[in-house]
Amino acid sequence: MKEDYKNIKVIGFDADDTLWVNETYFRDAEVAFAKLLAQYETLNKIDQELFKMEMKNLPLYGYGVKGFILSMVEMALELSNNNVSNRAIQAILDIGKDMINKPVELLEGVETVLKTLSNNYRLILATKGDLLDQERKLEKSGLIDYFHHIEVLSDKQELNYSKLLNRLDVKPSEFLMIGNSLKSDILPLVNIKAHAIHVPFHTTWTHEQVDESETNGKTYRTVSSLLDILPLFN
Amino acid sequence: MKEDYKNIKVIGFDADDTLWVNETYFRDAEVAFAKLLAQYETLNKIDQELFKMEMKNLPLYGYGVKGFILSMVEMALELSNNNVSNRAIQAILDIGKDMINKPVELLEGVETVLKTLSNNYRLILATKGDLLDQERKLEKSGLIDYFHHIEVLSDKQELNYSKLLNRLDVKPSEFLMIGNSLKSDILPLVNIKAHAIHVPFHTTWTHEQVDESETNGKTYRTVSSLLDILPLFN
């Protein structure tokens, strides 16, 4: 085992785009949304405006599909100057329900990695999505038995993680976080002296992107697939 | 102290309508919603249909304000046969945002009770609302320092509580739940042999109402105000 992991007791896994596909469904939803409103604006403009609306509503609605649907409805009213049809509003609600009902598509190596690591570590799922949504996905995924429990964080900043470690009663040196988002799963952990392994996903939400300067001099590992984590623990 | 409370280590408090006013705001929102659609149906019918829509969507959206807003939007489309105005949809979104932004109105005796009990017990907030919403309310309430942390449950059934006690590493006999809902805060606890104290609120959501037969022979205390709890711990 790599020397720096010898004190690890608890491993936190991000859920969306670390264990299973998620961002892809949001991108698909955005395309469907833009098509609904194509008579009012270009697809590109609609995309940009929807992102702004999501950011405006984020403090109020938080993360997750429900806030996203509400932002789409509000955007449709605004972009159309209150001329959008009831059918389009219904279609937006349907896009949202479809997203919630999507099957869970596991990423490569997930089951092997969880099975192996759960023999020696307490695994938790640490997500900022909606609790019910994440419980449902975990249920569908068949991975539930590998996890001790789910921790939903309203945000994934340093303070949220510090409180989490407190709750779990582990020191930063005893905690490893594994996830696809530098902003949410990696940098805050590095900053509080916990461990972090970055497993990039091919698509990253604009809100989660970070400048290269933010990662300069930070100590964390990057692997190209979850399976590459196992050799680190041999 | 009452004999049966001598092993208590952790006390869980429900949040909405136990610590602060909540159901009242939902009732107000329902009235505002019904007025928006008054041209289509009677207020009474709108109220009944909205409740049905909420129940239909509950497995998908879960509890909390965001799902409630989405159900109101869907109901408006349906009740109006897709003739509702964009202005009415906007008004529904605004009703929702207003609910989220409501000031926190503490119920009688809350601060005194939390202050006293937090000296000898670990207090947690156990709620099935939205995490961000409840964190925000707790922040606004000024009560945050009395609680060890917030536990958001996707539902409040026996299994959810059993998992919670597991996570908290306490036995049922060491846990006391205090709340306003017989269905969510009291009966599941009694059924898993934990302790429960019922503090009724004047308004109960239809979904939370229970038949008298369900409470027959169950062992829990009822007090008329949170303040009546303190003598039980003297």
Side-chain angles (χ1 to χ4, degrees):
Chain A
M1 184 186 323
K2 294 281 174 188
E3 178 63 16
D4 45 350
Y5 294 154
K6 71 177 191 313
N7 295 321
I8 301 289
K9 288 183 180 166
V10 179
I11 301 179
F13 279 86
D14 171 55
D16 292 336
D17 303 318
T18 296
L19 302 180
W20 48 64
V21 175
N22 176 65
E23 202 50 33
T24 313
Y25 300 144
F26 274 88
R27 289 297 84 78
D28 292 348
E30 284 162 10
V31 170
F33 175 74
K35 280 186 186 160
L36 278 177
L37 299 179
Q39 65 188 106
Y40 303 110
E41 258 305 343
T42 62
L43 300 191
N44 190 45
K45 177 78 174 171
I46 292 172
D47 221 40
Q48 288 171 354
E49 292 299 314
L50 178 58
F51 179 69
K52 279 190 220 162
M53 181 64 81
E54 285 180 80
M55 290 305 103
K56 190 193 88 177
N57 285 333
L58 195 59
L60 220 53
Y61 293 152
Y63 297 94
V65 175
K66 284 179 286 185
F68 177 66
I69 314 173
L70 287 168
S71 287
M72 285 195 289
V73 173
E74 188 174 349
M75 192 74 254
L77 300 174
E78 192 177 303
L79 264 179
S80 71
N81 280 318
N82 281 334
N83 278 314
V84 72
S85 71
N86 275 213
R87 272 175 208 286
I89 303 277
Q90 183 63 56
I92 291 169
L93 297 181
D94 291 341
I95 289 171
K97 288 186 177 185
D98 282 350
M99 288 176 81
I100 297 173
N101 280 322
K102 281 269 188 255
V104 169
E105 191 184 332
L106 292 187
L107 296 175
E108 194 201 350
V110 166
E111 179 127 32
T112 310
V113 169
L114 295 178
K115 197 169 187 168
T116 308
L117 293 179
S118 65
N119 290 325
N120 297 305
Y121 303 93
R122 176 174 282 199
L123 308 187
I124 61 159
L125 197 72
T127 166
K128 63 182 178 188
D130 178 86
L131 175 62
L132 180 64
D133 241 24
Q134 297 296 353
E135 281 188 349
R136 190 185 292 118
K137 289 189 207 173
L138 189 56
E139 191 78 45
K140 284 186 195 167
S141 73
L143 303 172
I144 197 161
D145 288 341
Y146 299 122
F147 289 99
H148 186 264
H149 68 276
I150 303 183
E151 288 280 350
V152 175
L153 311 174
S154 62
D155 206 342
K156 280 182 161 181
Q157 302 192 21
E158 291 173 35
L159 184 61
N160 307 89
Y161 280 112
S162 294
K163 285 183 184 171
L164 170 63
L165 296 195
N166 224 12
R167 222 152 52 223
L168 296 171
D169 203 19
V170 291
K171 295 179 208 141
S173 60
E174 299 168 336
F175 186 76
L176 165 67
M177 183 73 194
I178 296 172
N180 72 297
S181 167
L182 282 172
K183 181 178 178 180
S184 296
D185 305 318
I186 308 301
L187 295 180
L189 281 299
V190 173
N191 290 339
I192 64 167
K193 316 270 185 222
H195 302 277
I197 298 178
H198 184 216
V199 193
F201 186 66
H202 54 74
T203 309
T204 304
W205 185 25
T206 313
H207 176 62
E208 297 290 325
Q209 287 166 7
V210 295
D211 277 351
E212 211 185 293
S213 66
E214 294 180 63
T215 61
N216 274 349
K218 304 284 184 180
T219 317
Y220 61 89
R221 278 201 174 76
T222 301
V223 295
S224 59
S225 153
L226 266 184
L227 285 169
D228 297 336
I229 288 172
L230 290 184
L232 303 173
F233 287 89
N234 276 338
Chain B
M1 187 187 320
K2 293 283 173 187
E3 177 63 17
D4 43 351
Y5 294 153
K6 71 177 191 311
N7 294 322
I8 301 290
K9 287 183 181 166
V10 179
I11 301 179
F13 279 86
D14 171 55
D16 292 336
D17 302 319
T18 296
L19 302 182
W20 48 64
V21 174
N22 176 65
E23 202 48 33
T24 312
Y25 301 143
F26 274 87
R27 290 297 84 78
D28 292 348
E30 284 162 11
V31 171
F33 174 74
K35 279 186 186 160
L36 278 176
L37 300 177
Q39 65 189 106
Y40 303 109
E41 258 304 343
T42 62
L43 301 191
N44 190 44
K45 177 77 174 172
I46 293 172
D47 221 39
Q48 288 171 354
E49 292 299 314
L50 178 58
F51 179 68
K52 278 190 219 162
M53 181 64 80
E54 285 180 81
M55 289 305 103
K56 191 192 87 176
N57 286 332
L58 195 59
L60 220 53
Y61 294 152
Y63 297 94
V65 176
K66 283 179 286 186
F68 177 65
I69 314 174
L70 287 167
S71 287
M72 284 195 289
V73 172
E74 187 173 350
M75 192 74 254
L77 300 174
E78 191 177 303
L79 264 180
S80 70
N81 279 318
N82 281 333
N83 279 312
V84 71
S85 70
N86 275 213
R87 272 174 209 287
I89 303 277
Q90 183 64 56
I92 291 168
L93 297 181
D94 291 341
I95 289 171
K97 290 187 176 184
D98 281 350
M99 288 177 81
I100 296 174
N101 280 321
K102 280 269 190 255
V104 168
E105 191 184 333
L106 293 186
L107 295 175
E108 194 202 350
V110 165
E111 178 126 33
T112 309
V113 168
L114 295 178
K115 196 170 189 168
T116 308
L117 293 178
S118 66
N119 289 326
N120 297 305
Y121 303 94
R122 176 173 282 199
L123 308 187
I124 61 160
L125 196 71
T127 165
K128 64 180 176 188
D130 177 85
L131 174 62
L132 180 64
D133 241 24
Q134 296 296 352
E135 282 189 346
R136 190 185 292 119
K137 289 189 208 173
L138 189 55
E139 191 77 45
K140 284 187 196 166
S141 73
L143 303 172
I144 198 162
D145 289 340
Y146 299 122
F147 288 99
H148 185 265
H149 67 276
I150 303 185
E151 288 281 350
V152 175
L153 311 173
S154 61
D155 206 343
K156 281 182 160 178
Q157 301 192 23
E158 289 171 37
L159 185 62
N160 307 88
Y161 281 111
S162 294
K163 286 184 183 170
L164 170 65
L165 297 194
N166 224 12
R167 226 155 46 225
L168 297 172
D169 203 20
V170 292
K171 296 180 207 141
S173 61
E174 298 168 337
F175 186 76
L176 165 67
M177 183 72 194
I178 297 172
N180 73 297
S181 167
L182 282 171
K183 180 177 178 181
S184 296
D185 305 317
I186 308 302
L187 295 179
L189 281 299
V190 172
N191 289 340
I192 64 167
K193 315 271 185 221
H195 302 277
I197 298 178
H198 184 218
V199 192
F201 186 66
H202 54 75
T203 309
T204 304
W205 185 25
T206 313
H207 177 62
E208 297 290 324
Q209 286 165 8
V210 296
D211 276 352
E212 211 185 292
S213 65
E214 294 180 61
T215 61
N216 274 349
K218 305 282 184 179
T219 318
Y220 62 88
R221 279 202 173 76
T222 301
V223 295
S224 58
S225 152
L226 266 184
L227 286 169
D228 296 337
I229 288 173
L230 290 184
L232 303 172
F233 287 88
N234 277 337

